Amino acid sequence: VQLQASGGGLVQAGGSLRLSCAASGRTFGTYDMGWFRQAPGKEREFVAAISWSASRTYYAETVKGRFTISRDNAKNTLYLQMNSLKPEDTAVYSCAAKQRTIAALSNKAKDFDFWGQGTQVTVSS
């Protein structure tokens, strides 16, 4: 599967953005999906994940209650709604896919098989 993230930009603290990740192919619904981010000089970190059927979600503590991950399998698209943004949310955000399993959703980048290019999110104070 090929992934293309979009929707990043510059926003003031307290504002909102919605990221999208468009997937190619007809197998999007067979993948668990995730969002990760990487700030300059920092390691990539997990943001959120969603199961293939959208029945399960998983969030990093740093974004829980502010961000919402969702997907539309009919449109082959993954979303990340980001509210109450903070300057520390500034990073390049990337979407990723892994084959669905019955195991718990993963927060580890090494478990994801396919990656899209990132989209820059900058939050000004």
Side-chain angles (χ1 to χ4, degrees):
V1 63
Q2 291 185 318
L3 306 172
Q4 177 97 17
S6 61
L10 174 63
V11 64
Q12 288 189 328
S16 299
L17 280 175
R18 188 174 83 153
L19 305 184
S20 298
C21 174
S24 65
R26 289 176 282 184
T27 60
F28 178 69
T30 66
Y31 292 95
D32 293 336
M33 300 295 296
W35 286 100
F36 291 77
R37 66 187 183 185
Q38 187 166 21
K42 295 187 176 181
E43 293 188 354
R44 181 165 51 191
E45 66 171 346
F46 169 76
V47 176
I50 188 168
S51 63
W52 63 276
S53 64
S55 62
R56 294 174 291 145
T57 57
Y58 179 25
Y59 295 93
E61 287 298 322
T62 52
V63 306
K64 194 176 293 185
R66 300 188 298 123
F67 291 10
T68 302
I69 189 171
S70 62
R71 66 190 295 163
D72 185 336
N73 286 349
K75 295 183 179 180
N76 282 7
T77 305
L78 172 74
Y79 302 101
L80 184 69
Q81 178 67 44
M82 305 186 294
N83 299 329
S84 302
L85 282 161
K86 304 175 181 179
E88 52 263 44
D89 294 319
T90 295
V92 174
Y93 285 71
S94 299
C95 53
K98 65 181 291 292
Q99 290 287 346
R100 68 184 186 187
T101 70
I102 60 173
L105 290 171
S106 174
N107 64 353
K108 295 178 174 56
K110 68 179 180 61
D111 290 337
F112 287 78
D113 305 303
F114 303 98
W115 291 81
Q117 96 297 344
T119 186
Q120 176 71 48
V121 172
T122 303
V123 184
S124 63
S125 57

